[in-house]
């Protein structure tokens, strides 16, 4: 059966998320131009879609982006406009999105169609499997470079896929690594040509779904039990402490300088 669009979610007329059905696989295509940056509305929309997918009959989910960009991570200019209560609400929702992925009753594959820094890398880490576009694309948790400490529950997700020491080195440096290095250290599971990332993700997931479903899903949930347990109680994830860190002088100064740099006109060649 051919793939078919199922819907397009928007906020105030601005597209945010597309749903495309491939038989019993639901593709959630991030569609918030220009770089799929994560703001409060986008995070809430994606979380709702991930949580609703099994009830819609999806036996597996694919997260995908646009060619060259999976997600650029947090929408820093938008988040800088939030006061402390709104920021607390955002981080609670972001951790709830991580929880939805970590605790999903159906397998999730990230089709990393291009660059995937910070929040984009987080989405990928909480998926069951990661297929990344080959070529000049980078992925990593570069939060330290922008003045943000990486929470323990997110560090756990990276340790699970690359090992404790490698995770420490990547996290503390806020390193962004290219696709080949990401494959070498286990950050992603495989590379595919940029135009075949979603196709390869569908192939991997379809093969998994051919296994006896009860045995596969029960084994999967046991294997991911540590990740799910980390998000069993969102109130214990230290959201208040994280928000306090966000509003610290160091973090605010670093983020504002980065945003100003991004907004500055490019020098003439």
């Amino acid at each position: 059966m051919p793939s078919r669009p199922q819907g397009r979610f928007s906020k105030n007329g601005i597209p945010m998320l597309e749903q495309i059905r491939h038989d019993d696989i639901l593709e959630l295509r991030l569609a918030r131009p220009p770089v799929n940056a994560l703001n409060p509305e986008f995070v809430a929309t994606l979380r709702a879609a991930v949580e609703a997918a099994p009830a819609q009959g999806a036996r597996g989910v694919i997260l995908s982006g646009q060619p060259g960009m999976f997600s650029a991570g947090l929408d820093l200019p938008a988040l800088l406009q939030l006061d402390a209560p709104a920021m607390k609400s955002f981080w609670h929702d972001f951790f709830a999105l991580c929880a939805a992925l970590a605790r999903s009753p159906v397998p999730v594959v990230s089709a990393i169609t291009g660059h995937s820094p910070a929040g984009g890398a987080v989405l990928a880490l909480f998926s069951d499997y990661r297929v990344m576009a080959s070529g000049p694309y980078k992925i990593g948790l570069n939060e330290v470079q922008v003045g943000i400490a990486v929470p323990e529950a997110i560090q756990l997700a990276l340790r699970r896929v690359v090992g404790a020491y490698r995770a420490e080195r990547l996290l503390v440096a806020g390193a962004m690594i290219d696709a080949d290095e990401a494959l070498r250290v286990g950050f992603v599971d495989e590379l595919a040509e940029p135009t075949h990332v979603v196709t390869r993700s569908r192939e991997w997931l379809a093969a998994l779904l051919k296994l006896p479903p009860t045995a596969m899903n029960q084994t999967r949930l046991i294997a991911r039990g540590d990740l799910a347990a980390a998000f069993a109680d969102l109130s214990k994830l230290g959201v208040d402490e994280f928000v306090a860190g966000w509003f610290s002088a160091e973090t605010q100064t670093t983020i504002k300088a980065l945003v100003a740099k991004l907004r500055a006109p490019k020098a003439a060649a």
Side-chain angles (χ1 to χ4, degrees), residues 18 46 56 72 146-147 160 199 214 223:
E18 297 176 6
L46 182 55
Q56 296 173 352
V146 299
R160 292 180 80 250
T199 299
T214 300

Side-chain angles (χ1 to χ4, degrees), residues 31-45:
R32 184 174 182 252
V35 292
N36 294 330
L38 303 170
N39 70 351
E41 295 80 12
F42 194 18
V43 166
T45 298

Side-chain angles (χ1 to χ4, degrees), residues 240-253:
D240 288 337
E241 293 82 356
F242 194 78
V243 171
W246 172 270
F247 285 103
S248 70
E250 176 182 288
T251 297
Q252 288 289 297
T253 298

Side-chain angles (χ1 to χ4, degrees), residues 138-208:
K138 293 193 174 184
I139 188 170
L141 297 174
N142 62 333
E143 281 82 352
V144 166
Q145 292 193 26
V146 299
I148 302 173
V150 182
E152 161 58 23
I154 293 174
Q155 292 198 29
L156 168 65
L158 184 59
R159 290 197 298 269
R160 292 180 80 250
V161 299
V162 303
Y165 181 73
R166 177 67 63 182
E168 178 187 345
R169 296 277 60 81
L170 293 173
L171 288 163
V172 174
M176 293 291 296
I177 56 178
D178 63 27
D180 287 336
E181 178 69 3
L183 178 63
R184 188 185 73 80
V185 303
F187 205 123
V188 300
D189 295 288
E190 61 176 281
L191 303 182
E193 290 297 318
T195 56
H196 290 87
V197 174
V198 174
T199 299
R200 179 58 200 139
S201 298
R202 287 171 54 191
E203 291 172 349
W204 184 89
L205 189 49
L208 186 70

Side-chain angles (χ1 to χ4, degrees), residues 5-257:
Q6 280 207 312
R8 187 178 183 93
F9 292 86
S10 63
K11 182 73 173 181
N12 298 325
I14 301 174
M16 301 184 78
L17 186 68
E18 297 176 6
Q19 290 197 17
I20 304 167
R21 196 61 179 256
H22 311 281
D23 297 326
D24 52 3
I25 295 172
L26 179 62
E27 180 185 350
L28 300 176
R29 181 176 296 169
L30 311 182
R32 184 174 182 252
V35 292
N36 294 330
L38 303 170
N39 70 351
E41 295 80 12
F42 194 18
V43 166
T45 298
L46 182 55
R47 173 194 174 188
V50 170
E51 292 179 338
Q56 296 173 352
R59 295 182 56 224
V61 171
I62 295 173
L63 301 182
S64 66
Q66 64 198 52
M69 178 62 70
F70 180 61
S71 170
L74 301 181
D75 187 340
L76 295 177
L79 297 185
L80 280 174
Q81 306 305 311
L82 302 183
D83 61 15
M87 199 65 196
K88 180 177 179 179
S89 177
F90 170 76
W91 281 112
H92 182 278
D93 285 349
F94 183 78
F95 286 137
L97 170 58
C98 294
L101 294 169
R103 302 171 69 83
S104 172
V106 300
V108 179
V109 178
S110 278
I112 307 169
T113 49
H115 296 299
S116 187
V122 172
L123 298 181
L125 284 171
F126 283 98
S127 302
D128 294 63
Y129 198 76
R130 288 156 290 280
V131 181
M132 186 173 181
S134 58
Y137 304 112
K138 293 193 174 184
I139 188 170
L141 297 174
N142 62 333
E143 281 82 352
V144 166
Q145 292 193 26
V146 299
I148 302 173
V150 182
E152 161 58 23
I154 293 174
Q155 292 198 29
L156 168 65
L158 184 59
R159 290 197 298 269
R160 292 180 80 250
V161 299
V162 303
Y165 181 73
R166 177 67 63 182
E168 178 187 345
R169 296 277 60 81
L170 293 173
L171 288 163
V172 174
M176 293 291 296
I177 56 178
D178 63 27
D180 287 336
E181 178 69 3
L183 178 63
R184 188 185 73 80
V185 303
F187 205 123
V188 300
D189 295 288
E190 61 176 281
L191 303 182
E193 290 297 318
T195 56
H196 290 87
V197 174
V198 174
T199 299
R200 179 58 200 139
S201 298
R202 287 171 54 191
E203 291 172 349
W204 184 89
L205 189 49
L208 186 70
L209 297 179
K210 289 179 181 178
L211 298 171
T214 300
M216 184 273 288
N217 274 313
Q218 286 182 352
T219 301
R220 171 184 169 270
L221 293 176
I222 293 169
R224 291 169 62 83
D226 57 338
L227 200 57
F231 289 88
D233 186 348
L234 296 183
S235 69
K236 295 182 178 179
L237 293 182
V239 173
D240 288 337
E241 293 82 356
F242 194 78
V243 171
W246 172 270
F247 285 103
S248 70
E250 176 182 288
T251 297
Q252 288 289 297
T253 298
T254 305
I255 292 175
K256 288 176 181 178

